[in-house]
Amino acid sequence: QRVEVPAEVIVDPKFSSPIVNMTAPVGRDAFLTCVVQDLGPYKVAWLRVDTQTILTIQNHVITKNQRIGIANSEHKTWTMRIKDIKESDKGWYMCQINTDPMKSQMGYLDVVVPPDILDYPTSTDMVVREGSNVTLKCAATGSPEPTITWRRESGVPIELATGEEVMSIEGTDLVIPNVRRHHMGAYLCIASNGVPPSVSKRITLVVHFPPMITVQNQLIGAVEGKGVTLDCESEAYPKSINYWTRERGEIVPPGGKYSANVTEIGGYRNSMRLHINPLTQAEFGSYRCVAKNSLGDTDGTIKLYRIPPNAVNYVENFEARHKGKKRTKSSESHHPARAQEHSGEDMENPGKRKADLSLGAESIDSIYGNSAAGSRRRQDLGGVLLLLLPVAVAVAMSLATAGVMRETQMTLPPQTLTHV
Amino acid sequence: MRWRHAVRATFTSTTATESSPLIGKVISNSRAPQIAHEMLVEYFMALLVIMGLTAPVDKQSRRSSQYFGHLAAAEELSNLIPDNYDAIDPVFDNTTDREVIAALGTTARLHCRVRHLGDRAVSWIRQRDLHILTIGIMTYTNDQRFLARHIDNSDEWVLKIVSVQQRDAGVYECQVSTEPKISLAYKLVVVTSKAQILANRELFIQSGSDINLTCIAPQAPGPYTHMLWHKDTELVSDSARGGIRVESEQQMKTSNLVISRVQHTDSGNYTCSADNSNSDSVFVHIIKSEQHAAMQHELGSRLLLPPLPLLLLAVLLVVLLGPTSSLQIRTPLSTR
């Protein structure tokens, strides 16, 4: 017998081109396209390879994943769409034609995630003692894995352990051994992986150290009847209180012929100046500039001596000769000086000596407390401003509605009206 | 004296200066809380008024809604929940066989049971190449040997594989289209099973003798195997002629065929077949009676042979024993 050949000839379908891999950021839509030639009566399906999940068959979405969609153009271009993609959508996807044997090809969807800095184990603001070792840590997530770069704020270079200075350094850990006061400041940890936006975190490094005094001129001569200025420089953090004392430890009183001021030079440096005008016999002698903070105290000594009015030439020559001298004193050597001070006291009045010491302590504490109170006042003002804004808006709205109330002739409890 | 007086004056003025910041501090501490408190009270009162005024426009309902605001909120919440929300997730019935053994060329069935299916679809996938086989009752693959079977309103979705091939062995997945999907893996094992008759391919049996044929099918899949005997193309049964008996042990996968006092008509091709197995055959030839008589003659001649050797042995013994005894008697006398 002869079998009749059907008129229609079915051609085997094939893929016209490979699936183009796609890279998309998390949260956006992704598309994978499968181009088929001579599909005929066959069907096209999309699957997720690693989870072996059927996604679509022809125009039907099989999965209940609401983010999956399918579209085709003339049964040739079959585009699967994934909305609002997540990182878990990353992987291989298969386009399949139900020939026998079946044909398939795969495409890769890469999901990239912008960097995000983790709160842990990233370092927070640090307060350390000078001389200790510091490690600033920064950890970030993202896809691809982000690169961590450290910088200092305002273009200040970073000093490496080798002493070399660089503008930036890569790595999750920034190690600063034997931290010094000039390391103090804001450090920026910058995480980037090529997917915008890059993120950064600001970590403040505070270095605590006891006060240090530098005296440019330790011996100053002046003519009686004229004015003179004594000058000291101090370094300290936390910020120190600075004042002047005479030989016996009494604090130089502000006002009158004495005028003292403290000027901030840098982040932790201050300039102390004491003006004395006019000079009498009582003002000549030793002066001590003192700096004190929670970690210790130190002082510098300046000796003021009297020059006769008729020795002008000698005075100029003397100043030029001694100008280059410097004296630096640390807090460790302060106690021997104080001991010496005690030996100089008048032994006839022991009660008076105790009174002097206690009064000095009170005055120091009160001055220190004053600056603390100042900072508190600023915080209170900020809080009040925050409260003012919503209250003002509420009052304005209530006034507007009050007008509407009159038109509608509505009556409210008198207590409420009083408040409005 | 003058110096001492100057020192006292210094201390007094210092004390006066120090006390003034403390006074300022006290004032600032007491003032801020009061201001904040008053502002907060006014803020909340204003909020209450605004909330009351944003009630519905209707004058009558406006008053009542102020007192029954909670009820209105509850009604709004109930509208958000749709009535047809299907909260039950599909779940597999794990009692079905997850490993199926099929013989080459036979039909295999994989049974998948899913409860609370809802609007989800049940699909079968071949894990080897992720080939989709069936979705619901629709066959996706063009390999016509794969079919989906499902009875309406039942929980069972069956993948039927006709004429199982060796390449069909592997893992098949029953998948439900939830998000994320749930699935159950099934393993299909394909065996080549063949019945075997424990005898030569050709047997020559004397007419009138008995025939006992044993057939085994140890590799047949399943716990029980039904086995049959055919003579040429006809099923062997007792009704054909008396004296034929078939003894089968389905659990042992063994079958015995016994035919008593064979005749010439019993010659033929005997075939043993078992479920899901290839069959085996032997050909039995029945030898005529002349050959039978000749064999009897041979047996008779054999019976005559045994007596002769015995007689010879007896004669030899008599001859050997006589001379030996006489020699022994003479030897002792000569020595004396």
Side-chain angles (χ1 to χ4, degrees):
Chain A
Q1 294 177 352
R2 184 174 180 181
V3 179
E4 187 176 356
V5 178
E8 184 186 0
V9 178
I10 299 176
V11 183
D12 219 25
K14 58 185 177 182
F15 295 110
S16 302
S17 58
I19 299 173
V20 179
N21 296 338
M22 187 181 185
T23 300
V26 72
R28 308 282 285 279
D29 293 357
F31 304 89
L32 290 174
T33 302
C34 186
V35 189
V36 180
Q37 185 178 324
D38 301 326
L39 183 61
Y42 296 94
K43 297 187 179 69
V44 176
W46 277 100
L47 300 90
R48 173 80 188 268
V49 175
D50 52 351
T51 58
Q52 300 179 340
T53 306
I54 302 171
L55 301 176
T56 68
I57 289 187
Q58 289 292 78
N59 287 315
H60 304 284
V61 177
I62 302 299
T63 176
K64 290 304 168 187
N65 186 346
Q66 306 288 338
R67 300 182 294 111
I68 303 290
I70 183 70
N72 84 86
S73 171
E74 299 176 1
H75 281 241
K76 289 185 176 179
T77 305
W78 297 81
T79 302
M80 179 194 59
R81 182 207 70 224
I82 310 177
K83 292 192 296 184
D84 186 18
I85 60 173
K86 307 177 189 307
E87 197 166 1
S88 57
D89 293 328
K90 178 192 294 194
W92 288 95
Y93 291 79
M94 175 193 277
C95 172
Q96 185 180 119
I97 310 178
N98 66 338
T99 53
D100 186 22
M102 74 98 168
K103 295 179 178 177
S104 69
Q105 59 175 3
M106 294 192 289
Y108 190 78
L109 171 63
D110 195 6
V111 180
V112 293
V113 183
D116 185 32
I117 295 177
L118 300 170
D119 285 337
Y120 174 84
T122 299
S123 305
T124 56
D125 292 348
M126 293 185 80
V127 178
V128 298
R129 185 66 184 261
E130 195 178 38
S132 59
N133 300 324
V134 167
T135 300
L136 300 182
K137 294 175 178 291
C138 185
T141 60
S143 180
E145 188 173 351
T147 302
I148 306 291
T149 305
W150 288 96
R151 289 179 183 276
R152 282 192 70 170
E153 213 173 46
S154 309
V156 181
I158 295 176
E159 185 181 315
L160 302 179
T162 59
E164 180 191 357
E165 288 189 342
V166 294
M167 294 310 295
S168 68
I169 184 172
E170 282 191 9
T172 57
D173 291 1
L174 177 61
V175 181
I176 311 176
N178 190 25
V179 68
R180 312 309 307 179
R181 59 197 66 179
H182 62 265
H183 291 125
M184 175 152 47
Y187 290 76
L188 297 176
C189 156
I190 303 164
S192 56
N193 65 352
V195 184
S198 295
V199 289
S200 66
K201 182 172 183 182
R202 188 173 185 271
I203 301 168
T204 302
L205 177 62
V206 174
V207 181
H208 279 194
F209 58 96
M212 186 182 81
I213 291 274
T214 303
V215 181
Q216 288 285 343
N217 301 308
Q218 297 172 25
L219 187 58
I220 296 179
V223 179
E224 187 173 352
K226 295 190 174 181
V228 72
T229 300
L230 309 183
D231 198 354
C232 285
E233 281 189 8
S234 76
E235 293 185 4
Y237 206 92
K239 197 170 178 180
S240 62
I241 50 172
N242 302 69
Y243 57 95
W244 293 88
T245 63
R246 293 299 305 270
E247 299 94 327
R248 298 175 184 274
E250 66 275 26
I251 294 175
V252 175
K257 58 182 64 180
Y258 291 107
S259 171
N261 64 348
V262 180
T263 307
E264 186 171 320
I265 305 171
Y268 47 83
R269 297 173 63 217
N270 294 287
S271 172
M272 305 172 65
R273 285 202 168 86
L274 179 64
H275 304 273
I276 313 174
N277 193 13
L279 283 164
T280 62
Q281 184 65 35
E283 279 75 56
F284 291 106
S286 282
Y287 287 82
R288 215 189 303 268
C289 51
V290 183
K292 175 182 278 194
N293 73 359
S294 58
L295 299 176
D297 58 341
T298 187
D299 64 339
T301 302
I302 300 177
K303 181 162 268 183
L304 180 64
Y305 70 95
R306 179 174 168 277
I307 300 175
N310 57 357
V312 175
N313 291 332
Y314 176 80
V315 166
E316 288 175 357
N317 191 23
F318 188 89
E319 284 182 352
R321 192 188 311 164
H322 286 274
K323 198 168 186 180
K325 276 191 176 181
K326 283 188 182 179
R327 185 188 176 203
T328 302
K329 204 173 186 182
S330 64
S331 62
E332 284 77 11
S333 63
H334 181 257
H335 293 295
R338 181 170 286 184
Q340 187 177 356
E341 178 185 347
H342 277 283
S343 64
E345 282 281 6
D346 197 346
M347 298 303 294
E348 295 178 1
N349 303 299
K352 193 171 197 178
R353 192 194 314 156
K354 286 180 182 178
D356 293 352
L357 290 175
S358 63
L359 182 58
E362 286 175 2
S363 63
I364 292 164
D365 290 346
S366 65
I367 293 168
Y368 195 76
N370 192 7
S371 61
S375 63
R376 271 182 221 156
R377 235 177 257 144
R378 288 183 207 146
Q379 291 176 3
D380 292 341
L381 285 175
V384 170
L385 285 175
L386 285 178
L387 286 175
L388 272 171
L389 189 58
V391 172
V393 171
V395 170
M397 290 178 70
S398 60
L399 287 174
T401 52
V404 176
M405 282 162 51
R406 292 200 198 96
E407 293 176 0
T408 57
Q409 296 179 355
M410 290 289 296
T411 57
L412 289 175
Q415 193 174 5
T416 308
L417 278 172
T418 304
H419 268 274
V420 171
Chain B
M1 193 64 183
R2 190 179 295 174
W3 178 79
R4 285 181 182 178
H5 184 70
V7 167
R8 283 180 187 171
T10 302
F11 290 151
T12 305
S13 64
T14 303
T15 303
T17 305
E18 290 164 5
S19 61
S20 58
L22 292 173
I23 295 170
K25 186 199 280 186
V26 170
I27 293 169
S28 64
N29 284 348
S30 62
R31 187 178 293 173
Q34 286 181 354
I35 296 171
H37 181 70
E38 290 173 358
M39 289 178 173
L40 282 174
V41 169
E42 187 173 1
Y43 175 75
F44 283 120
M45 291 300 295
L47 282 181
L48 288 174
V49 171
I50 292 166
M51 290 173 69
L53 291 173
T54 55
V57 178
D58 188 358
K59 294 181 182 180
Q60 294 295 331
S61 63
R62 183 179 294 182
R63 289 179 182 175
S64 61
S65 65
Q66 288 182 15
Y67 300 99
F68 298 99
H70 299 293
L71 186 60
E75 288 174 358
E76 288 182 357
L77 282 176
S78 62
N79 291 334
L80 293 176
I81 303 174
D83 296 329
N84 59 350
Y85 180 67
D86 191 0
I88 306 178
D89 284 334
V91 64
F92 285 111
D93 182 346
N94 282 322
T95 58
T96 55
D97 284 334
R98 305 270 297 280
E99 184 165 327
V100 174
I101 303 176
L104 193 68
T106 62
T107 298
R109 288 177 177 80
L110 310 181
H111 297 254
C112 182
R113 291 203 190 99
V114 187
R115 287 195 285 259
H116 313 303
L117 191 60
D119 61 348
R120 269 72 62 151
V122 178
S123 310
W124 283 98
I125 289 186
R126 183 166 65 201
Q127 205 167 80
R128 183 181 85 232
D129 52 355
L130 287 191
H131 191 14
I132 303 171
L133 304 175
T134 65
I135 295 178
I137 57 174
M138 179 193 76
T139 299
Y140 170 84
T141 177
N142 258 287
D143 188 339
Q144 302 301 325
R145 299 179 302 117
F146 294 91
L147 298 162
R149 288 289 180 263
H150 171 67
I151 299 174
D152 283 341
N153 298 323
S154 75
D155 297 332
E156 192 166 69
W157 302 79
V158 181
L159 175 67
K160 183 179 175 184
I161 310 175
V162 179
S163 180
V164 170
Q165 305 300 308
Q166 196 65 47
R167 67 175 187 271
D168 295 328
V171 179
Y172 292 79
E173 181 181 285
C174 172
Q175 180 178 125
V176 181
S177 66
T178 53
E179 168 62 14
K181 66 140 191 187
I182 58 173
S183 64
L184 219 53
Y186 291 73
K187 186 179 180 184
L188 176 64
V189 179
V190 179
V191 298
T192 304
S193 175
K194 183 179 171 62
Q196 186 180 358
I197 302 178
L198 305 178
N200 294 331
R201 301 298 93 191
E202 287 194 83
L203 297 174
F204 297 90
I205 309 296
Q206 300 172 20
S207 178
S209 302
D210 295 345
I211 296 177
N212 190 337
L213 298 176
T214 301
C215 179
I216 59 173
Q219 292 178 331
Y224 301 97
T225 301
H226 184 48
M227 305 176 76
L228 296 173
W229 289 94
H230 287 79
K231 175 176 181 295
D232 297 326
T233 58
E234 295 177 1
L235 181 65
V236 173
S237 63
D238 294 345
S239 61
R241 79 169 184 83
I244 296 179
R245 186 170 71 256
V246 175
E247 299 172 344
S248 293
E249 280 287 335
Q250 291 195 8
Q251 198 164 2
M252 300 300 295
K253 306 177 196 259
T254 304
S255 181
N256 282 340
L257 173 65
V258 181
I259 308 177
S260 304
R261 295 182 295 279
V262 298
Q263 307 167 18
H264 176 67
T265 55
D266 291 326
S267 296
N269 193 40
Y270 287 81
T271 302
C272 169
S273 61
D275 293 338
N276 301 321
S277 304
N278 295 333
S279 60
D280 192 17
S281 301
V282 295
F283 199 95
V284 176
H285 300 273
I286 306 299
I287 304 173
K288 293 179 180 178
S289 60
E290 291 178 357
Q291 295 177 2
H292 179 69
M295 290 185 69
Q296 285 181 347
H297 180 69
E298 287 176 359
L299 287 173
S301 64
R302 286 180 187 174
L303 289 172
L304 293 173
L305 288 172
L308 288 176
L310 292 175
L311 290 174
L312 290 173
L313 285 173
V315 170
L316 288 172
L317 286 171
V318 170
V319 170
L320 290 173
L321 287 173
T324 305
S325 61
S326 62
L327 288 172
Q328 287 179 356
I329 294 169
R330 288 178 183 178
T331 306
L333 292 173
S334 65
T335 54
R336 286 180 184 180

